[in-house]
Amino acid sequence: MEILAAKLRPSATADDGRTRDRVSGLLLEHGPQTATELAGRLGVSPAAVRRHLDALVATGRVEERQVRDAHRGRGRPARRFHLTDAGRSAFPHAYDDLALTALRYVAAAGGPDAVRAIAEQQLAGLEARASSAVEAATDGSSGAPADRAQALAAALTAEGYAATASALSGGGQLCQHHCPVAHVAAEFPQLCEAETAVIGRLVGTHVQRLATIAHGDGVCTTHIPGPVRPGSGRGHTRAGNRSAPGRPVPGERAAPDRARTRTTESTSTAPTNDRERTPA
């Protein structure tokens, strides 16, 4: 009997899921309804519908409201069930197609710079919100890029990017495990370029994009270089989106003038060791 029950449970769960999808579809098609109205359309009992409605309410896909119905007289208000925004989001959307159509039109009329301007405008709000979160997390100080990257990862996660930050021997990495505009960015890389520039400004140094979901990678990976050590260059030769620093990097000094260094060395008056030239 236990084996039989175990075999039946997945089927019952699947049936419940299909019934709840039908309930959501009826609410989308016909608007708010009572449990009795839904039961009539489904051909089941109101008690069975209420069980599915309770489950949908618990998951946030449906909400219950009491509405005064003039046809019901002085009785209790009717309990109607409404589809929430979360419930609507479960149905297919064509937002990507709409965005692609709009950007193709903009590109044809204004060229790549017009698309870049739209991408920068789209990210302006995100940058403002993330900047406030980063400044609050670092107590308003400039902070090291690695510390700011940790705060930025938390801010991007709150925006739906599922971001993480990790420290490496040569600096750090910011990884975004979700991209809301991946399908659009695959055709218009200006979106990735604008986002890279935003990340660079928020962490306070230039950064380099190593991988993007839009180009088929599993994660959007951004390299954040560590502090420059004396006698070492940045040495990043891999192709990728780079960002110019939005402000001077804390603790980073300007590179010395090589021409001036060579001139100083050639005109040096330091005494030479004549003993090395004296024959033995």
Side-chain angles (χ1 to χ4, degrees):
M1 293 296 294
E2 293 180 357
I3 296 176
L4 179 60
K7 291 182 178 179
L8 290 176
R9 285 191 196 106
S11 177
T13 302
D15 289 341
D16 286 345
R18 285 192 291 268
T19 302
R20 289 163 193 171
D21 288 341
R22 291 178 62 193
V23 171
S24 298
L26 289 173
L27 292 175
L28 180 69
E29 183 178 355
H30 299 284
Q33 300 168 68
T34 64
T36 302
E37 291 170 341
L38 288 167
R41 287 192 166 97
L42 290 171
V44 298
S45 67
V49 170
R50 288 191 184 93
R51 181 172 65 86
H52 293 296
L53 287 170
D54 289 343
L56 291 170
V57 169
T59 57
R61 293 170 59 183
V62 171
E63 64 181 0
E64 180 184 355
R65 300 177 187 173
Q66 291 187 348
V67 181
R68 181 69 65 178
D69 191 345
H71 298 287
R72 293 173 61 93
R74 294 185 177 181
R76 297 173 61 183
R79 298 169 57 190
R80 293 187 176 274
F81 295 88
H82 296 241
L83 203 62
T84 65
D85 290 340
R88 291 180 182 276
S89 65
F91 292 91
H93 296 284
Y95 296 145
D96 285 351
D97 292 340
L98 177 61
L100 282 170
T101 300
L103 287 179
R104 287 167 184 162
Y105 178 83
V106 169
D113 289 340
V115 177
R116 185 173 294 104
I118 290 180
E120 292 173 350
Q121 183 177 1
Q122 172 67 20
L123 290 168
L126 170 67
E127 181 175 4
R129 294 188 299 272
S131 178
S132 299
V134 170
E135 296 301 327
T138 55
D139 297 327
S141 61
S142 59
D147 296 334
R148 297 177 68 86
Q150 290 286 350
L152 176 58
L156 290 176
T157 297
E159 297 283 343
Y161 286 82
T164 58
S166 58
L168 301 175
S169 58
Q173 278 189 349
L174 178 71
C175 296
Q176 297 157 247
H177 301 268
H178 175 66
C179 177
V181 295
H183 292 90
V184 181
E187 182 171 340
F188 294 98
Q190 292 92 336
L191 276 70
C192 292
E193 295 168 1
E195 188 178 272
T196 304
V198 167
I199 293 174
R201 289 193 292 269
L202 290 174
V203 300
T205 184
H206 80 281
V207 298
Q208 181 181 10
R209 258 295 166 62
L210 303 180
T212 60
I213 296 174
H215 293 161
D217 300 301
V219 179
C220 292
T221 305
T222 305
H223 176 70
I224 302 170
V228 179
R229 298 177 180 177
S232 64
R234 296 194 182 276
H236 300 301
T237 58
R238 181 173 178 177
N241 297 332
R242 289 178 178 267
S243 70
R247 52 177 174 266
V249 181
E252 181 174 346
R253 299 179 180 177
D257 190 334
R258 296 182 178 177
R260 187 179 304 169
T261 302
R262 287 195 298 267
T263 303
T264 304
E265 293 176 352
S266 61
T267 58
S268 175
T269 58
T272 58
N273 189 351
D274 294 334
R275 285 178 296 179
E276 295 179 359
R277 301 178 181 178
T278 303

